[in-house]
Amino acid sequence: MNASVFELALPQPFDFQQCLDYMTRSPLESLYRMDYSGVNRLLRVGSADRLVRVTCLEGRGVMQVQMLDGASLSLEDREQLTRYIKDWFDLDRDLKPFIKLLQGDPLLAPLAERFAGLRLVGIPDLFEALCWAIVGQQVNLAFAYKLKHRLAERYGIAADWEGATYRLFPLPERFAGESVESLCSLQLTKNKAMAILDVASRMAGGELSRDKLLKLNDSESVDQELTKIRGIGPWTAQYVRMRCLGDQTALPVGDVGLQNAVKKLLGLSLKPTPLELSALFDQWPGWESYIAFYLWRTLEV
DNA sequence: CACCAGGACGGGA
DNA sequence: TCCCGTCATGGT
């Protein structure tokens, strides 16, 4: 047994291919790279940047995590990486009740058929999640991916492996002393540039962190903590609760993609309003984020 | 050239 | 509190 590889038990249901399909949706994704059997990405583990490969042996019911540099992991590093991988693929969630909910609802049953085993792919790093949400405000996804790539390319750490370049999303500290103008040169709007610098500064100073947000007892407090930052509105806060904090009840009602998905689902002639979305989801309490995530998939498959 | 895109903000009723 | 105009930038 090589100490550079470890395994995690897979929950049921779990469909790795569904997760990979989601992650492959944009050819512009720059933070990880997929192939036929898994995904590689550069991650900071402890104080080192490690190239990590994730695959699944679904017959044995395990996920395999491999360090591509072949070097072993300390126990502490392995625990940290395990935490990250579990959050990335939402391995600790029991989806059985969710599948039951889908199957028992005529409106949602098709989702169970099409996406069974798909996990809500997370963005465990708060800074990355916030930046991704900020660059994604009110622009199409293709452009959002370009902006993220430019951020990673200019400010992130890179490592080459087998002819491909892998990038670590920049750390908040990297933006200390950066100007709004330098971010705007990447074609971020002024407001987005200022928001990212503000978030970076708060996180680097320890005032804002994922752990602190997780310790708040209700979603309203989280939204309040986040939306007090200029440039972070309700959509961004809800999005971060959904993709980063693992809040099953998060529902980005202002999301135009979700609105379009529901419009399609119900055969409406107009996009539903946030209020209408909220009322619709009242019948599925506790699984808002998963239903929203699955509905997003219906726009791309 | 119009309209859209996985919004945010501020002023006015 | 809710509504609405405005900002801002690339894609289609």
Side-chain angles (χ1 to χ4, degrees), chain A residues 194-213:
Chain A
M194 290 191 294
I196 287 175
L197 291 180
D198 192 359
V199 166
S201 154
R202 290 170 191 256
M203 289 194 67
E207 165 195 346
L208 175 66
S209 72
R210 182 171 189 267
D211 286 341
K212 283 194 173 183
L213 294 179

Side-chain angles (χ1 to χ4, degrees), chain A residues 10-16 18-19 58 89-100 102-103 112 115-120 287 290 294:
Chain A
L10 287 175
Q12 289 302 325
F14 180 88
D15 187 331
F16 193 44
Q18 288 278 1
C19 299
E58 296 188 67
F89 294 102
D90 204 27
L91 298 185
D92 284 342
R93 186 102 38 206
D94 179 13
L95 284 195
K96 292 191 188 75
F98 175 61
I99 300 302
K100 266 190 182 169
L102 293 186
Q103 289 172 341
F115 308 117
L118 170 64
R119 299 264 152 178
L120 199 163
W287 292 103
Y290 255 90
Y294 275 36

Side-chain angles (χ1 to χ4, degrees), chain A residues 47-64:
Chain A
S47 57
D49 298 325
R50 310 289 299 270
L51 201 51
V52 177
R53 174 168 182 77
V54 178
T55 52
C56 279
L57 309 170
E58 296 188 67
R60 286 180 46 215
V62 297
M63 174 174 275
Q64 193 169 74

Side-chain angles (χ1 to χ4, degrees), chain A residues 10 28 55 79 81 89 96 121 132 244 252 254 280:
Chain A
L10 287 175
L28 299 171
T55 52
E79 282 174 3
L81 188 53
F89 294 102
K96 292 191 188 75
V121 177
W132 173 235
C244 180
L280 174 69

Side-chain angles (χ1 to χ4, degrees), chain A residues 146-189:
Chain A
K146 283 187 183 175
L147 292 176
K148 183 172 80 162
H149 175 68
R150 289 173 191 163
L151 282 173
E153 190 173 40
R154 177 169 305 182
Y155 300 104
I157 291 166
D160 293 322
W161 196 76
E162 290 190 343
T165 299
Y166 292 86
R167 294 178 195 286
L168 189 68
F169 193 77
L171 305 174
E173 300 77 40
R174 176 64 183 81
F175 290 90
E178 286 298 329
S179 66
V180 171
E181 290 71 31
S182 67
L183 286 180
C184 286
S185 70
L186 305 180
Q187 265 137 356
L188 286 156
T189 64

Side-chain angles (χ1 to χ4, degrees), chain A residues 59-251:
Chain A
R60 286 180 46 215
V62 297
M63 174 174 275
Q64 193 169 74
V65 183
Q66 177 187 2
M67 313 305 294
L68 290 178
D69 58 16
S72 59
L73 284 167
S74 71
L75 186 57
E76 191 182 354
D77 287 349
R78 183 200 287 204
E79 282 174 3
Q80 184 200 335
L81 188 53
T82 295
R83 185 69 263 144
Y84 186 94
I85 301 286
K86 284 183 173 179
D87 289 337
W88 189 7
F89 294 102
D90 204 27
L91 298 185
D92 284 342
R93 186 102 38 206
D94 179 13
L95 284 195
K96 292 191 188 75
F98 175 61
I99 300 302
K100 266 190 182 169
L101 169 66
L102 293 186
Q103 289 172 341
D105 188 307
L107 202 52
L108 303 181
L111 299 180
E113 300 236 346
R114 292 174 68 183
F115 308 117
L118 170 64
R119 299 264 152 178
L120 199 163
V121 177
I123 307 174
D125 179 80
L126 177 63
F127 185 58
E128 181 189 328
L130 276 167
C131 288
W132 173 235
I134 289 167
V135 302
Q137 289 167 358
Q138 186 61 24
V139 299
N140 60 62
L141 275 174
F143 184 50
Y145 274 107
K146 283 187 183 175
L147 292 176
K148 183 172 80 162
H149 175 68
R150 289 173 191 163
L151 282 173
E153 190 173 40
R154 177 169 305 182
Y155 300 104
I157 291 166
D160 293 322
W161 196 76
E162 290 190 343
T165 299
Y166 292 86
R167 294 178 195 286
L168 189 68
F169 193 77
L171 305 174
E173 300 77 40
R174 176 64 183 81
F175 290 90
E178 286 298 329
S179 66
V180 171
E181 290 71 31
S182 67
L183 286 180
C184 286
S185 70
L186 305 180
Q187 265 137 356
L188 286 156
T189 64
K190 198 172 177 183
N191 283 340
K192 289 183 178 184
M194 290 191 294
I196 287 175
L197 291 180
D198 192 359
V199 166
S201 154
R202 290 170 191 256
M203 289 194 67
E207 165 195 346
L208 175 66
S209 72
R210 182 171 189 267
D211 286 341
K212 283 194 173 183
L213 294 179
L214 287 173
K215 277 178 186 147
L216 299 175
N217 33 16
D218 55 88
S219 50
E220 289 73 20
S221 308
V222 176
D223 286 349
Q224 194 180 345
E225 271 305 294
L226 289 173
T227 57
K228 74 181 185 189
I229 301 169
R230 187 182 180 77
I232 295 182
W235 176 84
T236 302
Q238 291 155 355
Y239 187 89
V240 165
R241 278 199 281 120
M242 173 178 174
R243 297 291 307 278
C244 180
L245 304 180
D247 182 350
Q248 288 189 193
T249 69
L251 181 67

